[in-house]
């Protein structure tokens, strides 16, 4: 079986039925064709070149969506058929959000349809023109900031997101109660030090990489408040919310929010500095000097700013639906529209981005001490875990019978689409979500809704979500809080920074032996999705991640069925049943190439004192995990199948996963902007004689063309050495070697990704490592080896060695008693060792009823280590 991808789309035959015809018409491949189709006399026509004094007919269209909305409100109460707002091809530049309420709803059993052409853009951006070279700075250009634009976090050139100027810290820092003391006053002499953000990446401890953060799944960032000499005062409340999270007095180290650590400093440095003029040194970087109202940008090779479309987002919302439980927005559809160029300014404010998980943050003065802590602290706000959600650039509260179909959500600075409290019977189908700073689709919330606030009957189906999140890397393409009867099905999700789909909330109290937070969720389904190349930036997530109570029984609990999930990068699982996850069924999925488990983990059910585990059914999956049938105190594992290779997966499950035949066009729908790929991140190294080894987190945004190779540059002793590694080889091994280096010299390494469209920006440099002989000590033996056999294969499990000798582990060697030697490489081999996460490999080609011995040894930069052996007999 070829590895499915967004470029192959399973290579399923494209049916030429009515659904495909409808999709083609919706996209308006004939440009104005969809716009020019006849409609009823009550329809409204809009073009960017119309006139708002016109009546809005096809012959005399209006110019703005605001005027179109006025006409819709006049006509809606008297509908005798659906009313369509025909939006012509072109860019509609919004000066304020399209704000909807109940008056914008359908009536008399009919709908309001905002119909784009497939080339219709609702934009919150402002064009930047008037570029001039900056004297004394070859290659750097500046332009006046658009009038009225005082702040933004993104800049796009010809539809490509460019990188804010960033780089390593120029000083070392020592944390204080209000910020840091710097080793020198360098930052005090920088332009606008109050614009600077400190970014704290997190993840597995790996290869000469020191990380800080609020959990392996987060990437918080806090602005600087001010700098005076060597005193760096961080912005409040971000600093306190990120460094003073309350710890249980009787549980050392356990924060009351129970999700992660309480202090992002932990004696470590910020990972890098973002948004500083002084770091503007590479093509593709930019900076907005707010005080001088000037934009700076260093063009990429071949870019001519005289003719480029340079956009800066000004609005924070493009569509703002403000329904209420008593007066919801209902019977409205948005079709064939691209939503683009909106930002989100809260992270630039003193609130910063104090992340909890999935883009939820702690906010407000003393939020760290009270927000969402409910019964666990005096004055805690309820319910437990009610933290602050990312806003959507397209946001609807209390929307019923809504539809988003054939749309594109791209070039956005918050979450893409937010269906908040009270979302009911709403469909998100055939859409593309890419190049979004945070979450893709947000469904419901975590504030314990009731009555009209309950989210139910939402369908997120047949969408393509890829190349996100771009800024807040803990975001998730589809995140669903407390809800009922929701369906997340037939989506393709790929090249994403963290988990693919996240459902549920409020399970963390099991960490202190308390029951998960009761909630209204039940009858939610996550089925037939194709998820691959995920967790490219962060760790401790999954292809499908669920936590908290999902229903009242296995009958109405969450169903995770028919999904195909493969090629995970960071530490995690294919299907992650996390804290308090109760009444979930995981059945009929194809799961492979995960970091350390296909389905996990098991947690005690603290709703009673019986000592059982959270009820879970794991049945009929095709996986590499190989667990035997059994009942582990309520976690039932039965009828699963050992997957010996991807090609052995049932063709029916594989063919059904991902977008359905009538929607395959979403995998190939063009989104403007083609460029060299985004920079890789988190480069780690170690060295031996004459060379060094490097690993990194791959590129999330390929920008229109698949990667072909990575380019490594080792700099040290006044010299540079360059090496390349094919992208496919790096995917297989997880590391690269840079030979030809000088012993005794310290080197830093940067990595750039290359595609047919060029070589992208280089990563931030690794920490320095000195080349030379590391010694000769090899790794100790792995531990905990076990073999789970079938008739013709075995699933081998082991725990990495505690002591690895003089270098980290780069792989393993399996020796089979039938004479085979099998090398084990991959990212899991690198990241499993420092965190003691188990390894799994399937060995196929065995004979039934035969005894086999498997010997496993860790491989390091100095050789093969001590072995551990396990013997089993096939069935």
């Amino acid at each position: 079986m070829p590895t499915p991808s967004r470029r192959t789309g399973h290579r399923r035959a494209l049916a030429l039925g009515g659904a495909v015809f409808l999709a083609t018409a919706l996209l308006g491949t004939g440009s104005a064709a969809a716009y020019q189709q006849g409609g009823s006399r009550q329809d409204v026509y809009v073009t960017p070149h119309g006139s708002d004094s016109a009546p809005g007919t096809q012959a005399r269209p209006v110019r703005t969506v605001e005027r179109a909305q006025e006409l819709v409100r006049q006509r809606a109460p008297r509908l005798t058929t659906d009313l369509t707002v025909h939006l012509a091809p072109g860019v509609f530049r919004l000066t304020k959000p399209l704000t909807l309420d109940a008056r914008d709803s359908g009536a008399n059993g009919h709908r309001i349809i905002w119909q784009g052409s497939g080339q219709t853009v609702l934009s919150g951006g402002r064009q930047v023109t008037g570029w001039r070279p900056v004297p004394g700075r070859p290659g750097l250009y500046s332009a006046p900031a658009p009038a009225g634009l005082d702040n933004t976090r993104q800049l796009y050139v010809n539809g490509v997101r460019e990188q804010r100027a960033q780089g390593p810290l120029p000083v070392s820092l020592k944390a204080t109660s209000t910020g840091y003391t710097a080793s020198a006053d360098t930052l005090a002499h920088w332009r606008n030090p109050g614009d600077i953000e400190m970014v704290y990446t997190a993840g597995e401890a790996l290869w000469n990489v020191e990380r800080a953060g609020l959990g392996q799944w987060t990437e918080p960032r806090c602005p600087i408040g001010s700098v005076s000499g060597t005193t760096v005062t961080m912005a409040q409340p971000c600093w306190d919310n990120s460094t003073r999270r309350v710890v249980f007095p009787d549980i050392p180290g356990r924060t009351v929010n129970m999700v992660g650590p309480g202090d992002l400093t932990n004696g470590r440095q910020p990972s890098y500095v973002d948004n500083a003029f002084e770091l503007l040194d590479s093509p593709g970087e930019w900076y907005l000097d707010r005080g001088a109202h000037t934009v700076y940008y260093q063009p990429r090779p071949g870019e001519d700013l005289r003719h480029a479309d340079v956009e800066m987002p000004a609005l924070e919302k493009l569509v703002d639906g403000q329904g209420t439980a008593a007066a919801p927005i209902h019977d409205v559809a948005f079709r064939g529209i691209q939503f683009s160029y909106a930002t989100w300014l809260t992270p630039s404010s003193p609130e910063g981005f104090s992340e909890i998980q999935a883009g939820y943050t702690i906010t407000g003065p003393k939020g760290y001490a009270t927000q969402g802590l409910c019964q666990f602290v005096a004055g805690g706000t309820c319910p437990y875990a009610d933290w602050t959600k990312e806003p959507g650039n397209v946001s609807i509260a209390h929307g019923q019978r809504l539809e988003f179909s054939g749309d594109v959500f791209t070039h956005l600075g918050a979450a893409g689409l937010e269906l908040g409290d009270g979302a009911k019977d709403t469909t998100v189908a055939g859409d593309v979500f890419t190049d979004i700073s945070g979450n893709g689709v947000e469904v419901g919330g975590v504030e314990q809704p009731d009555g009209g606030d309950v989210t139910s009957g939402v369908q997120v189906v047949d969408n393509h979500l890829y190349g996100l999140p771009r800024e807040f890397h803990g975001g998730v393409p589809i995140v669903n809080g407390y809800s009922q009867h929701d369906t997340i099905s037939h989506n393709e999700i790929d090249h994403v920074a963290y988990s693919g789909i996240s459902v549920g909330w409020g399970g963390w109290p099991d960490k202190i032996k308390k029951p998960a937070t009761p909630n209204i969720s039940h009858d939610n389904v996550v089925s037939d999705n194709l998820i691959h190349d995920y967790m490219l930036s962060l760790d401790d997530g999954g292809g499908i991640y669920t936590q908290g109570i999902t229903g009242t029984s296995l009958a109405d609990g969450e169903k995770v069925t028919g999904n195909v999930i493969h090629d995970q990068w960071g530490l995690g699982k294919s299907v992650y049943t996390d804290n308090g996850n109760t009444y979930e069924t995981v059945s009929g999925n194809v799961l492979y190439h995960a970091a350390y488990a296909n389905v996990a983990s098991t947690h005690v059910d603290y709703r009673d004192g019986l000592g059982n585990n959270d009820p879970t059914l794991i049945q009929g999956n095709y996986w590499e995990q190989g667990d035997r049938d059994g009942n582990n105190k309520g976690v039932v594992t039965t009828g699963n199948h050992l997957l010996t290779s991807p090609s052995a997966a049932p063709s029916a499950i594989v063919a059904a996963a991902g977008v359905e035949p009538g929607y395959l066009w979403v995998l190939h729908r063009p989104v403007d902007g083609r460029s060299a790929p985004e920079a890789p991140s988190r480069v780690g190294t170690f060295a031996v004689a004459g060379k060094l080894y490097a690993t990194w987190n791959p590129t999330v945004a390929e920008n229109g063309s698949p990667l072909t190779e990575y380019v490594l540059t080792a700099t040290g002793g006044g010299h540079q050495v360059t090496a390349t590694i094919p992208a496919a080889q790096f995917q297989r091994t997880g590391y690269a070697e840079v030979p030809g280096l000088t012993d005794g010299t310290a080197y830093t390494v940067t990595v750039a990704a290359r595609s047919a469209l060029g070589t992208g920006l280089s990563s931030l440099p690794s920490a320095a490592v000195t080349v030379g002989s590391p010694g000769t000590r090899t790794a100790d033996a792995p531990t905990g080896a076990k073999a789970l056999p079938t008739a013709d294969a075995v699933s081998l499990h082991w725990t990495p060695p505690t002591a690895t000798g003089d270098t980290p582990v780069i792989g393993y060697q399996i020796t089979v008693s039938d004479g085979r030697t099998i090398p084990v490489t991959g990212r899991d081999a690198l990241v499993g060792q420092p965190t003691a996460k188990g390894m799994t490999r399937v060995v196929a080609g065995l004979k039934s009823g035969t005894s086999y011995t498997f010997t496993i040894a860790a491989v390091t930069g100095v050789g093969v280590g001590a072995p551990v052996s396990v013997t089993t007999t096939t069935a």
Side-chain angles (χ1 to χ4, degrees), residues 479-504:
V479 59
N480 187 327
Y482 299 133
S483 64
Q484 302 171 354
H485 297 286
D486 287 353
T487 299
I488 301 171
S489 185
H490 288 293
N491 302 286
E492 181 159 349
I493 299 172
D494 63 276
H495 293 84
V496 295
Y498 182 50
S499 297
I501 297 171
S502 180
V503 182

Side-chain angles (χ1 to χ4, degrees), residues 157-507:
V157 178
N158 295 327
V160 176
R161 179 185 296 238
E162 306 298 351
Q163 179 176 286
R164 287 203 304 179
Q166 63 178 223
L169 279 165
V171 293
S172 61
L173 300 174
K174 181 179 179 181
T176 68
S177 61
T178 59
Y180 296 100
T181 299
S183 59
D185 65 354
T186 307
L187 295 177
H189 298 287
W190 280 13
R191 182 187 301 194
N192 305 321
D195 287 350
I196 298 170
E197 291 177 13
M198 302 289 194
V199 185
Y200 304 82
T201 62
E204 78 288 342
L206 174 69
W207 289 22
N208 198 30
V209 178
E210 185 179 72
R211 299 177 179 178
L214 291 163
Q216 299 175 1
W217 52 93
T218 69
E219 193 175 80
R221 50 176 66 219
C222 279
I224 289 177
S226 63
V227 181
S228 176
T230 60
T231 299
V232 179
T233 301
M234 299 297 289
Q236 294 287 14
C238 187
W239 184 247
D240 281 352
N241 287 339
S242 304
T243 61
R244 297 183 62 186
R245 295 184 182 178
V246 180
V247 174
F248 282 108
D250 55 342
I251 311 176
R254 174 66 68 195
T255 58
V256 179
N257 65 48
M258 295 177 256
V259 185
D263 183 353
L264 59 73
T265 60
N266 295 317
R268 302 176 182 175
Q269 304 290 295
S271 304
Y272 64 93
V273 176
D274 193 24
N275 199 36
F277 176 81
E278 285 71 15
L279 299 175
L280 211 172
D281 57 6
S282 299
E285 286 192 320
W286 69 279
Y287 175 75
L288 171 62
D289 188 328
R290 294 184 296 171
H293 301 287
T294 301
V295 186
Y296 294 89
Y297 176 65
Q298 188 164 340
R300 297 173 185 261
E303 286 181 340
D304 185 347
L305 294 180
R306 294 173 300 175
H307 307 292
D309 175 26
V310 182
E311 302 277 350
M312 300 188 80
L315 298 185
E316 294 189 85
K317 287 187 183 293
L318 301 172
V319 177
D320 186 12
Q322 299 178 0
T324 66
I329 302 166
H330 59 87
D331 299 293
V332 179
F334 292 89
R335 299 175 178 172
I337 299 171
Q338 177 172 318
F339 300 97
S340 290
Y341 303 119
T343 190
W344 179 34
L345 299 181
T346 296
S348 297
S349 77
E351 285 282 6
F353 189 75
S354 181
E355 190 171 21
I356 284 281
Q357 184 170 317
Y360 282 82
T361 58
I362 292 179
T363 58
K366 297 202 173 182
Y368 66 92
T370 59
Q371 189 179 27
L373 302 186
C374 202
Q375 70 269 31
F376 297 112
V377 298
T381 62
C382 292
Y384 168 73
D386 182 10
W387 295 304
T388 302
K389 182 173 62 174
E390 282 178 359
N393 293 131
V394 175
S395 177
I396 307 287
H398 295 285
Q400 300 180 8
R401 298 184 301 281
L402 304 185
E403 174 193 326
F404 290 86
S405 61
D407 299 319
V408 173
F409 296 80
T410 188
H411 313 328
L412 298 174
L417 173 62
E418 177 188 7
L419 299 174
D421 285 348
K424 289 180 170 52
D425 303 320
T426 287
T427 300
V428 180
D431 299 317
V432 174
F433 294 82
T434 188
D435 188 25
I436 298 170
S437 288
N439 295 322
V441 183
E442 296 180 333
V443 181
V446 299
E447 64 280 1
Q448 290 287 33
D450 56 22
D453 292 335
V454 171
T455 297
S456 66
V458 175
Q459 297 189 63
V460 182
V461 296
D462 288 300
N463 303 287
H464 188 200
L465 306 99
Y466 68 96
L468 76 156
R470 294 293 302 273
E471 187 174 358
F472 311 112
H473 293 124
V476 180
I478 303 173
V479 59
N480 187 327
Y482 299 133
S483 64
Q484 302 171 354
H485 297 286
D486 287 353
T487 299
I488 301 171
S489 185
H490 288 293
N491 302 286
E492 181 159 349
I493 299 172
D494 63 276
H495 293 84
V496 295
Y498 182 50
S499 297
I501 297 171
S502 180
V503 182
W505 202 252

Side-chain angles (χ1 to χ4, degrees), residues 460-772:
V460 182
V461 296
D462 288 300
N463 303 287
H464 188 200
L465 306 99
Y466 68 96
L468 76 156
R470 294 293 302 273
E471 187 174 358
F472 311 112
H473 293 124
V476 180
I478 303 173
V479 59
N480 187 327
Y482 299 133
S483 64
Q484 302 171 354
H485 297 286
D486 287 353
T487 299
I488 301 171
S489 185
H490 288 293
N491 302 286
E492 181 159 349
I493 299 172
D494 63 276
H495 293 84
V496 295
Y498 182 50
S499 297
I501 297 171
S502 180
V503 182
W505 202 252
W508 295 287
D510 83 351
K511 292 177 179 290
I512 59 168
K513 301 183 179 182
K514 301 289 184 181
T517 303
N519 67 79
I520 54 89
S521 295
H522 62 79
D523 289 293
N524 293 314
V525 174
V526 183
S527 65
D528 302 300
N529 299 284
L530 172 61
I531 304 171
H532 61 94
D533 295 284
Y534 61 101
M535 289 180 63
L536 297 182
S537 296
L538 300 182
D539 298 287
D540 202 10
I544 297 171
Y545 173 93
T546 305
Q547 55 110 341
I549 300 173
T550 75
T552 63
S553 68
L554 283 172
D556 71 357
E558 183 179 325
K559 305 296 189 296
V560 177
T561 64
N563 302 282
V564 175
I565 305 174
H566 65 87
D567 287 296
Q568 178 187 112
W569 193 256
L571 280 170
K573 300 119 181 179
S574 306
V575 178
Y576 194 159
T577 56
D578 204 3
N579 296 106
N581 185 220
T582 308
Y583 298 128
E584 179 164 324
T585 298
V586 182
S587 65
N589 303 283
V590 172
L591 313 170
Y592 60 95
H593 296 172
Y596 66 92
N598 291 133
V599 182
S601 51
T602 299
H603 299 272
V604 174
D605 185 354
Y606 291 105
R607 294 176 301 163
D608 53 43
L610 300 177
N612 293 321
N613 292 320
D614 293 321
T616 307
L617 176 61
I618 305 169
Q619 182 178 41
N621 299 287
Y622 294 80
W623 62 358
E624 296 170 327
Q625 195 163 313
D627 289 1
R628 297 184 175 95
D629 288 358
N631 186 339
N632 180 10
K633 297 182 178 180
V635 178
V636 177
T637 302
T638 181
N640 298 289
H641 312 274
L642 187 63
L643 189 63
T644 56
S645 73
S647 62
S651 59
I653 297 177
V654 173
V659 297
E660 296 172 280
Y663 289 91
L664 284 179
W665 47 269
V666 303
L667 303 180
H668 309 288
R669 182 168 182 176
V671 175
D672 57 336
R674 289 169 57 82
S675 181
E678 182 185 42
S681 61
R682 298 179 185 164
V683 183
T685 57
F686 74 84
V688 296
K691 66 179 179 181
L692 60 75
Y693 292 81
T695 187
W696 56 91
N697 286 81
T699 296
V700 171
E702 295 182 341
N703 288 341
S705 181
L707 301 188
T708 55
E709 61 188 6
Y710 289 96
V711 181
L712 290 73
T713 302
T715 303
H719 301 284
Q720 288 188 338
V721 176
T722 300
T724 61
I725 178 173
Q729 180 181 333
F730 179 66
Q731 178 78 9
R732 185 173 64 254
T733 63
Y735 67 87
E737 301 179 23
V738 182
L741 304 182
T742 303
D743 287 355
T745 300
Y747 291 88
T748 60
V749 175
T750 59
V751 184
R754 178 178 289 167
S755 72
L757 299 176
T759 302
L761 284 167
S762 292
S763 67
L764 297 172
S766 70
V769 62
T770 300
V771 171

